[in-house]
Amino acid sequence: MPSSRRAGGITKRCECRGADGKLLGTKCPQLKKKSHGAIALRQELPLDANGKRRPFRRTGYATVTDAQTDLSRLQAILDLPGDDPEDQRRVGDLLADVMKNRAPIPAAAEVSRRLGVGIPLDGKMTVGAWLDKWMAGKKTRSTTNNSYRSHIKVHLRPRIGHLRLDRLSVDHCQEMFDAIADESDVIRAENAARREQVARCKWGRPGAPPASERARLAAEREKLAAMPPFRRTNTPATRHAIRRTLRAALNKAISSRLITFNPACHVELGSSARPKGLLWTAERVARWRETGEIPSRVMVWTPEQVGAFLDEAEGHRLYIGYHLIAYHGLRRGEGVGSAWEDVHLDVRQPYIDVLKEIVVDGWTPIETAPKTDSSMDSVKIDRGTVRALREHRVRQQAERGAWNAQARKRRAKGEDVADWVDTGKILTGEDGSWLHPDVLSKEFRRLRQRADLPPINLRDLRHSAAGLVKAGGGDLHDAKVKLRHSTIVLTSDTYMAMFQEYEDELTEKSAAAVPRARQGGADAPAPGAVPPPGPAASQPASADGIGFTVEDSTDNGPTAA
């Protein structure tokens, strides 16, 4: 018998007292009568946290059979922990609470399930406690876990963490998301007011402000100091991400049989449609230069603008990274994480195996596999990219030699400087170590400003690869393959608007590809110049300036139609 099982049994007791006022207990002569006294059970529980005994007692049973049924339930529960002292204490706490509150004795199977999951046996686990337990068992990569932790810390725990898990409702979740949206509106208004106040704090003219203005500016700065600081707002996409976190945690609770319903699945949120990619057309560029307005969160350079940027970046030590992103759609982390051993240049169709990426965990770069299976694939590259990679390899070897020579000189002076680190990466720091991904982004912004191009971020440069696919005659499926998307739906949602703009441009170019002697808007031909119908006059003569000759469209000589 496990050590957790202790003495227990069924007795009959009454409330009769002797002449001294004390309970008679089993000495009462009336206990032999069936109608006298009450049937009770008693079972020793595991010792409490202070090492004290705590028997389980319950009276009021109508029959011995009823008492025996409850006693058997108690003993089955006490057998569950085995010889584990911590589990014994938890079971003892549960049964002591059941006795105190006159609650029904739970089923042994339910207690066993909760004991195995490691949650409170009384069913009073809060949402916050479950989120902590859920995160402790997550096996996803660290960057994903950091996103989960941020949602839990900033939004979920402060708003619903105190609620009991089994009592969380759709109304609770809906109120939380409505409050998040309202708070974001308030922050957005406060940020706008602070920007206006910042503008009022600036003199904005050459030279120092006069004395009268200095007093006004000082007063405006005092107002600015009293205002809330700038804060980040959340978008509908952020709220959908928070719901995905909560939904995943509650789905795990359902699979653990802690709850039977996931209220997060039934919350109504606003649309979070993926932003559409738009081209930086000449009209949009002019409007941006005039007002500073950016038409979409995802803007894509035209091929001409991509070429202008790459011309500006050529010669930069990180040029090959921008080349691979723009031409072949590598993500930032994939470009920084690609290694020379995964580059295959001396084959009939050169390609790069995308097997690793370097991402930022907090601020620390870490190497990991691409997030999805579709991202881990081979990317075919063109001859121009092969040439650029070979030139970068030569430049990197020269950097290595220069660094080692400088390191030897500095070591001779007593400085602790290591030789160039051979990490095997295509993009590296000047000492050969991993390149921090943010360095690639900062240099991209600097080069973009120097080239005087409309603003995009480094991620949008990857979208340019989809534009080049379309400009080269490809379709959405070709773009999906090039960008290694998991589904064509993702490609369509992001690039359909951009592809339609390319279609408009291609329509005009296709029409212009047909040589015409008379363009639209020219004077109409004279009535006599229009040939009569019939096969002999199906083509007008070239001399009248309306049609074209066979010489214009074939290589068979200047025979008139």
Side-chain angles (χ1 to χ4, degrees), residues 361-373:
D361 183 9
W363 185 247
T364 305
I366 60 172
E367 186 177 55
T368 181
K371 190 171 184 179
T372 63
D373 293 339

Side-chain angles (χ1 to χ4, degrees), residues 540-543 547-554 558-561:
S542 62
F548 59 90
T549 64
V550 176
E551 182 182 14
D552 294 326
S553 58
T554 70
T559 303

Side-chain angles (χ1 to χ4, degrees), residues 327-328 330 348-353 377-382 385 481-482:
Y327 276 92
H328 302 289
L330 266 67
R348 186 178 64 84
Q349 175 59 66
Y351 64 95
I352 298 176
D353 288 327
D377 203 350
S378 297
V379 177
K380 297 179 181 179
I381 57 177
D382 59 285
T385 302
V481 173
K482 186 70 174 178

Side-chain angles (χ1 to χ4, degrees), residues 22-139:
K22 295 182 180 180
L23 289 173
L24 295 176
T26 57
K27 297 179 181 180
C28 178
Q30 304 295 324
L31 280 180
K32 296 180 181 180
K33 298 180 180 179
K34 291 184 178 181
S35 59
H36 187 78
I39 299 173
L41 68 80
R42 184 181 186 281
Q43 174 65 52
E44 284 291 332
L45 301 180
L47 302 179
D48 64 11
N50 298 320
K52 294 183 178 180
R53 295 177 57 192
R54 45 179 176 177
F56 183 99
R57 295 189 179 95
R58 179 165 290 183
T59 62
Y61 292 101
T63 65
V64 174
T65 302
D66 294 340
Q68 183 61 53
T69 299
D70 275 3
L71 181 61
S72 297
R73 288 179 180 175
L74 286 173
Q75 293 175 344
I77 294 173
L78 290 171
D79 286 341
L80 295 176
D83 294 327
D84 188 330
E86 178 61 24
D87 285 348
Q88 290 177 13
R89 185 191 60 78
R90 293 176 61 202
V91 167
D93 292 342
L94 168 68
L95 296 179
D97 191 60
V98 167
M99 180 186 70
K100 178 180 178 181
N101 298 313
R102 296 291 299 179
I105 298 174
E110 177 68 13
V111 177
S112 176
R113 180 178 59 80
R114 293 178 177 273
L115 198 64
V117 176
I119 63 173
L121 302 182
D122 57 5
K124 296 181 180 179
M125 171 170 275
T126 63
V127 174
W130 172 249
L131 291 173
D132 289 340
K133 184 169 184 58
W134 175 67
M135 279 304 307
K138 289 299 292 180
K139 304 300 182 184

Side-chain angles (χ1 to χ4, degrees), residues 17 27 60 65 74 83 104 115 138 145-146 169-170 172 189 211 220 227 354 360 382 409 441 443 474 487-488 511 520:
R17 298 177 181 272
K27 297 179 181 180
T65 302
L74 286 173
D83 294 327
L115 198 64
K138 289 299 292 180
N145 288 344
N146 286 341
S169 67
V170 177
H172 291 141
E220 296 292 351
M227 297 178 71
V354 180
V360 178
D382 59 285
K409 292 180 181 179
S441 297
E443 288 299 303
T487 66
I488 199 170

Side-chain angles (χ1 to χ4, degrees), residues 299-316:
M299 297 302 297
V300 183
W301 281 338
T302 64
E304 293 78 12
Q305 292 163 341
V306 173
F309 170 79
L310 293 177
D311 288 343
E312 181 66 35
E314 195 166 12
H316 193 282

Side-chain angles (χ1 to χ4, degrees), residues 138-156:
K138 289 299 292 180
K139 304 300 182 184
T140 48
R141 64 183 192 171
S142 58
T143 51
T144 304
N145 288 344
N146 286 341
S147 177
Y148 290 152
R149 291 190 185 96
S150 176
H151 294 160
I152 292 171
K153 178 182 178 182
V154 178
H155 301 288
L156 299 177

